[in-house]
Amino acid sequence: MAAHTYISISELHPNFSHPKVAGIVICKSDVRSFPDRKNIGTDRFTCGFTVKDSPDFFINVTAWGNDGYVNGLSNSFSVGDCVTIENPLVSNKDPEKGDKFCPTTPSLYRLLVTEAHSQVLLCADVDTIDRLLPLIHMPVKDSRDFYSLGDIVANGQKLDGMVINVLAAVKSIGEPKQFTTSDRRKGQRLEVKLFDDSVSSFPLICWDREAIQLVQTLIPKETVLFIADTKISFDSFRNGMAATVNSKTIITVNPDTREGSLLFSYAKEVSESGTLDQDEKPEDVTVDSITDVYTVSQLKEKAQDNPEAFFGITYSFISKLDLDSSVSKVIKNRCSRCRFQATEDMQSCTNQFCPGRDQVFSATTGFDLLVDFTDHTGTVHACNLRSPVAENTLGCTTEEFTSLTDDQRTAMKWKFLLERCKIYVKIFPSTKTKSGIRGVILDCSLADPGEVKQHMSALLQRP
């Protein structure tokens, strides 16, 4: 099908006969039903989606019909698919009726499709698909027109009830929770945690099944979202602000903008550095309250089954502890505001997004080690061991460590290397490490042999 047979969205008009439109689906709503006033006792079904055919033009499409037609149509494509719409009815938008609950579009019109008169098909023309695909990464609003998460937190309840644009990265994606309302309607809810350079965790709530399906495909810590027209509300349960995806919201994944690229680079760097995990405050549980004991293989298994971080104890050997590396690899200077590494001259932060970049620079100095630990079932690589836990483990301060000779550092290393230790750890699932998990060490000390024997016997008996 040749591309020139399509009418562009910007040229659509109600007077056109048998128009044919091609576009990429940038938004989609759930199927809904309403009592049919003409046929008492039956329901009419509807679903909506939004298509885009150029950087500046997109339009809402609404399908009406019986259960089989509308659900079949909805299931035939997803956000990001290219579709052709043949013979839709081009009608004026009605801001007081249906269009009130649809995404805001630059077009004066909307498209209506029905089983009897219209067809919506996946686009089969390669040239048209190649032209449309890049549009999925172009936000529907000005790429500079957004609130940072820090702006939202700072404004607080002043933004309660407002609809705004947000640019943020995905930190984690929760599990969908099903529920039944008082009138016996089934619903679902999913929470996404967002972050940016100013806030380490901010909730985005999804209620719509289509929105939930979209966010479940995203990769945490590797995805940036431009969220157009999200509703901001004060959450009394959290005592803080939260964003909600609604029927007017359009989410652009990994937006092709300067601001999006900068945030993507920040997200990648902060993820790889482990700083984001540090922001989750390993102290949110006390070491004394951690009682579950795991082998390394059990830690890996639980991380595969559980997308959330968890805590545990492992009796393992320290198999890598590079205390005799150069001091700059053992002790690092970090910005006291964003925890990114400072420049070598201690004059500035390496994070171009640092919230304190316009203020007098200050840094903290501490141990910053990557440790491997091993037991008879496997190895966990590259666990973070940082101050102040590292000071307690090594028994010296950073100042004392820098004054040690090479031989003394090596002796300190061998005090722990290949020794069985009792390690309290916070575990995060990770696709970036050999072991599939990443850990933050909360406490580490040489293990008591009697305690090891007791716990290892119990682990061996565990099914």
Side-chain angles (χ1 to χ4, degrees), residues 156-157 160 189 191 202-203 205 207 232-244:
Q157 295 191 51
D160 187 29
R189 179 185 187 276
E191 180 173 323
F202 187 91
I205 312 301
W207 299 96
I232 302 298
S233 306
F234 178 74
D235 188 326
S236 56
F237 178 76
R238 288 181 174 70
N239 195 32
M241 307 307 291
T244 303

Side-chain angles (χ1 to χ4, degrees), residues 98-169:
D99 293 289
K100 183 179 181 180
F101 304 103
C102 296
T104 302
T105 68
S107 175
L108 297 174
Y109 311 108
R110 59 183 174 135
L111 303 180
L112 299 177
V113 298
T114 61
E115 184 175 14
H117 300 98
S118 317
Q119 270 195 310
V120 179
L121 303 170
L122 289 173
C123 183
D125 181 66
V126 175
D127 291 338
T128 300
I129 293 172
D130 289 344
R131 176 178 63 84
L132 294 174
L133 282 177
L135 301 177
I136 195 67
H137 298 294
M138 295 185 183
V140 297
K141 299 291 182 76
D142 186 330
S143 64
R144 297 161 296 180
D145 178 18
F146 65 87
Y147 279 73
S148 71
L149 301 180
D151 294 335
I152 298 172
V153 172
N155 280 279
Q157 295 191 51
K158 294 178 184 177
L159 295 177
D160 187 29
M162 289 187 63
V163 174
I164 64 172
N165 308 322
V166 175
L167 180 72

Side-chain angles (χ1 to χ4, degrees), residues 330-438:
V330 177
I331 297 172
K332 294 179 181 176
N333 302 307
R334 291 188 176 273
C335 172
S336 57
R337 291 187 175 85
C338 72
R339 304 299 299 160
F340 256 58
Q341 203 165 328
T343 54
E344 290 186 10
D345 59 7
M346 290 279 287
Q347 296 300 308
S348 62
C349 178
T350 57
N351 173 18
Q352 58 185 320
F353 282 102
C354 178
R357 56 187 174 272
D358 297 326
Q359 303 171 24
V360 177
F361 179 70
S362 63
T364 57
T365 301
F367 287 106
D368 201 331
L369 293 158
L370 292 178
V371 175
D372 291 358
F373 60 79
T374 301
D375 69 3
H376 63 290
T377 66
T379 299
V380 176
H381 299 274
C383 280
N384 294 114
L385 177 61
R386 291 179 171 149
S387 296
V389 176
E391 274 121 339
N392 296 333
T393 300
L394 301 176
C396 70
T397 64
T398 53
E399 293 82 3
E400 291 168 341
F401 184 85
T402 54
S403 66
L404 296 177
T405 64
D406 289 346
D407 288 344
Q408 288 173 320
R409 291 175 193 163
T410 301
M412 179 182 289
K413 168 181 175 176
W414 282 100
K415 176 184 175 184
F416 290 93
L417 205 63
L418 302 182
E419 292 290 339
R420 179 86 72 173
C421 293
K422 183 179 184 180
I423 304 169
Y424 291 81
V425 66
K426 184 175 185 179
I427 293 294
F428 305 85
S430 173
T431 58
K432 298 180 179 296
T433 61
K434 296 178 184 177
S435 52
I437 60 176
R438 189 152 52 83

Side-chain angles (χ1 to χ4, degrees), residues 49-75:
F49 56 100
T50 306
V51 295
K52 188 172 189 175
D53 72 348
S54 67
D56 298 320
F57 281 93
F58 49 101
I59 193 168
N60 292 324
V61 186
T62 304
W64 285 94
N66 60 36
D67 185 356
Y69 168 67
V70 174
N71 273 292
L73 176 64
S74 179
N75 292 332

Side-chain angles (χ1 to χ4, degrees), residues 6-244:
Y6 300 123
I7 297 174
S8 63
I9 292 173
S10 61
E11 296 175 348
L12 282 171
H13 190 275
N15 292 338
F16 281 141
S17 175
H18 295 87
K20 187 184 298 180
V21 176
I24 189 165
V25 179
I26 60 172
C27 179
K28 192 172 170 221
S29 67
D30 284 357
V31 173
R32 290 177 171 80
S33 63
F34 303 89
D36 190 336
R37 295 177 182 176
K38 295 181 180 178
N39 299 292
I40 305 301
T42 62
D43 289 339
R44 294 184 73 201
F45 288 77
T46 184
C47 70
F49 56 100
T50 306
V51 295
K52 188 172 189 175
D53 72 348
S54 67
D56 298 320
F57 281 93
F58 49 101
I59 193 168
N60 292 324
V61 186
T62 304
W64 285 94
N66 60 36
D67 185 356
Y69 168 67
V70 174
N71 273 292
L73 176 64
S74 179
N75 292 332
S76 67
F77 62 86
S78 303
V79 172
D81 285 338
C82 299
V83 297
T84 60
I85 306 166
E86 299 182 16
N87 198 31
L89 175 66
V90 183
S91 66
N92 292 307
K93 286 199 292 191
D94 187 347
E96 297 303 317
K97 291 186 178 179
D99 293 289
K100 183 179 181 180
F101 304 103
C102 296
T104 302
T105 68
S107 175
L108 297 174
Y109 311 108
R110 59 183 174 135
L111 303 180
L112 299 177
V113 298
T114 61
E115 184 175 14
H117 300 98
S118 317
Q119 270 195 310
V120 179
L121 303 170
L122 289 173
C123 183
D125 181 66
V126 175
D127 291 338
T128 300
I129 293 172
D130 289 344
R131 176 178 63 84
L132 294 174
L133 282 177
L135 301 177
I136 195 67
H137 298 294
M138 295 185 183
V140 297
K141 299 291 182 76
D142 186 330
S143 64
R144 297 161 296 180
D145 178 18
F146 65 87
Y147 279 73
S148 71
L149 301 180
D151 294 335
I152 298 172
V153 172
N155 280 279
Q157 295 191 51
K158 294 178 184 177
L159 295 177
D160 187 29
M162 289 187 63
V163 174
I164 64 172
N165 308 322
V166 175
L167 180 72
V170 176
K171 183 176 185 179
S172 64
I173 301 168
E175 291 295 320
K177 297 179 179 178
Q178 309 295 325
F179 61 87
T180 303
T181 63
S182 57
D183 58 355
R184 297 184 179 180
R185 286 183 296 111
K186 292 184 177 180
Q188 61 284 315
R189 179 185 187 276
L190 181 141
E191 180 173 323
V192 180
K193 289 183 180 178
L194 305 175
F195 74 97
D196 64 8
D197 60 294
S198 58
V199 172
S200 63
S201 186
F202 187 91
L204 173 71
I205 312 301
C206 301
W207 299 96
D208 209 70
R209 188 175 290 104
E210 291 288 346
I212 289 174
Q213 289 176 355
L214 173 64
V215 300
Q216 284 182 311
T217 66
L218 307 179
I219 303 174
K221 302 175 186 175
E222 297 182 24
T223 306
V224 171
L225 303 178
F226 188 100
I227 311 167
D229 291 335
T230 182
K231 186 175 181 180
I232 302 298
S233 306
F234 178 74
D235 188 326
S236 56
F237 178 76
R238 288 181 174 70
N239 195 32
M241 307 307 291
T244 303

